[in-house]
Amino acid sequence: QRRIDISVREVKRLEGILEELLDFAKPLQLKYGQHQINNLLASSIELLEMKFKEEAINVITDFKSNLPLIVADGEKLGQAFINILLNDLEASTQGSTIEIRSNIDSTYGEGVNVIIADEGYGVSKEQFPEIFKPFYTTKSKGTGLGLSNASRIIEAHRGKIDVENRKPGGAVFKVFLPCQNSHSLEVDTKAGQK
């Protein structure tokens, strides 16, 4: 039974690696629609709920209400958030906390801001320039594609992603996503169908 359990775990791990490689190799095709960012975040957290419980990670959310809708591929954007959360999960110790916040942001024009912060070991000086590059990883079993794919998806939405350290420890991922009007939704939907 123990050997079967190990085999099942390894098959799931290999499936995950294969999915990341396929996501990286495929051209990014977006299917645009109007979405509420809080719903996408809540769905991503729900999908990882068992992993958070297994590692005894506390998840704290602070979602601002009445945020403007964003024009996005909900499935792809959800995957980007999952990749960031998985990175935070792997960097976290048992019993620590991951905070997820959303609010309005006008730094780069009208848009929404998502902040995902952990209490892990943070990012070293050497990692900062490399962290979003494909195949860069400090983990023995990682592919180095999770954050790279997240960055690619967010940038395809004309958004921005950045990371910084927090005190006393941990990393903070900041994601900005622009709001777009109904005209740009129509244009982008046609572009996404090509």
Side-chain angles (χ1 to χ4, degrees):
Q1 183 62 45
R2 189 176 65 85
R3 288 178 180 171
I4 290 171
D5 290 343
I6 291 170
S7 297
V8 168
R9 271 202 314 272
E10 283 302 295
V11 166
K12 286 182 178 177
R13 187 175 71 84
L14 291 170
E15 281 179 347
I17 290 171
L18 186 58
E19 281 179 17
E20 284 189 338
L21 287 168
L22 288 172
D23 283 343
F24 176 72
K26 286 186 295 190
L28 199 58
Q29 294 183 332
L30 302 179
K31 296 178 181 177
Y32 289 96
Q34 289 187 307
H35 295 278
Q36 171 53 255
I37 194 73
N38 292 343
N39 294 342
L40 297 179
L41 289 169
S43 296
S44 301
I45 294 166
E46 189 176 7
L47 285 170
L48 296 175
E49 186 178 5
M50 288 309 298
K51 285 185 178 289
F52 289 131
K53 284 184 178 176
E54 285 170 10
E55 298 299 324
I57 301 297
N58 303 305
V59 178
I60 296 174
T61 60
D62 179 13
F63 298 160
K64 290 292 183 285
S65 58
N66 300 322
L67 292 178
L69 294 174
I70 60 167
V71 177
D73 183 320
E75 187 177 332
K76 291 284 195 306
L77 205 51
Q79 185 59 55
F81 291 138
I82 286 171
N83 287 355
I84 296 169
L85 287 168
L86 283 172
N87 184 83
D88 282 17
L89 182 62
E90 289 168 4
S92 298
T93 55
Q94 284 200 341
S96 63
T97 298
I98 293 176
E99 298 174 31
I100 305 153
R101 302 193 299 273
S102 67
N103 51 53
I104 294 175
D105 191 318
S106 57
T107 307
Y108 306 102
E110 186 187 3
V112 296
N113 199 32
V114 174
I115 296 170
I116 301 174
D118 64 57
E119 297 177 336
Y121 42 77
V123 182
S124 69
K125 284 183 180 179
E126 294 77 20
Q127 290 173 319
F128 271 112
E130 311 291 331
I131 195 165
F132 296 116
K133 290 184 180 178
F135 303 109
Y136 177 77
T137 183
T138 57
K139 306 179 189 82
S140 58
K141 292 187 177 181
T143 61
L145 289 174
L147 289 179
S148 173
N149 277 335
S151 175
R152 188 168 68 130
I153 290 167
I154 290 161
E155 288 174 2
H157 285 84
R158 301 181 192 136
K160 294 182 181 292
I161 181 170
D162 199 8
V163 63
E164 61 187 43
N165 284 323
R166 68 186 300 200
K167 293 179 181 180
V172 181
F173 287 89
K174 295 182 176 181
V175 176
F176 171 82
L177 292 161
C179 298
Q180 299 167 343
N181 59 31
S182 58
H183 173 69
S184 63
L185 170 63
E186 183 181 336
V187 171
D188 287 344
T189 302
K190 289 176 181 175
Q193 290 172 346
K194 286 181 182 178

